[in-house]
Amino acid sequence: MYIDDCVQGIDKIMHCDDLIATPINLGSSELVSIDTLVSKVEKIADKKLQRSYDLNAPRGVGGRNSDIPSSRKFLIGSLTRR
């Protein structure tokens, strides 16, 4: 998702009376792990971070992505494809 698409989506969500007090996802359906996110930031910043992992810590989910079917109902056709 491009930033202009995100801003346009947020604007539409904020001005939609049907979405008052309704949780809605706005994002990409691309799965992103924390490692992948850190790698992308490292590349942008031209820095390399030392990573350490606590293997005894709770695992949680492997990654995050956005499940956007309800978003599409309100935003369909308004976001730019590149």
Side-chain angles (χ1 to χ4, degrees):
M1 172 178 282
Y2 291 88
I3 190 67
D4 55 338
D5 295 332
C6 188
V7 170
Q8 184 179 18
I10 291 169
D11 184 60
K12 286 181 176 264
I13 290 167
M14 290 180 65
H15 291 94
C16 181
D17 291 337
D18 293 335
L19 296 177
I20 293 174
T22 303
I24 188 164
N25 290 318
L26 178 64
S28 170
S29 59
E30 175 187 4
L31 179 67
V32 179
S33 70
I34 296 299
D35 267 347
T36 301
L37 179 62
V38 170
S39 295
K40 288 181 180 190
V41 172
E42 285 176 332
K43 185 175 180 181
I44 291 167
D46 195 26
K47 299 284 182 188
K48 190 69 177 167
L49 301 174
Q50 180 179 345
R51 301 178 197 189
S52 64
Y53 302 91
D54 181 354
L55 300 179
N56 295 317
R59 298 272 177 166
V61 296
R64 295 274 184 210
N65 65 332
S66 181
D67 182 18
I68 57 173
S70 61
S71 309
R72 289 178 191 230
K73 180 169 79 172
F74 296 98
L75 303 173
I76 195 75
S78 65
L79 300 182
T80 307
R81 289 203 180 269
R82 292 188 176 95

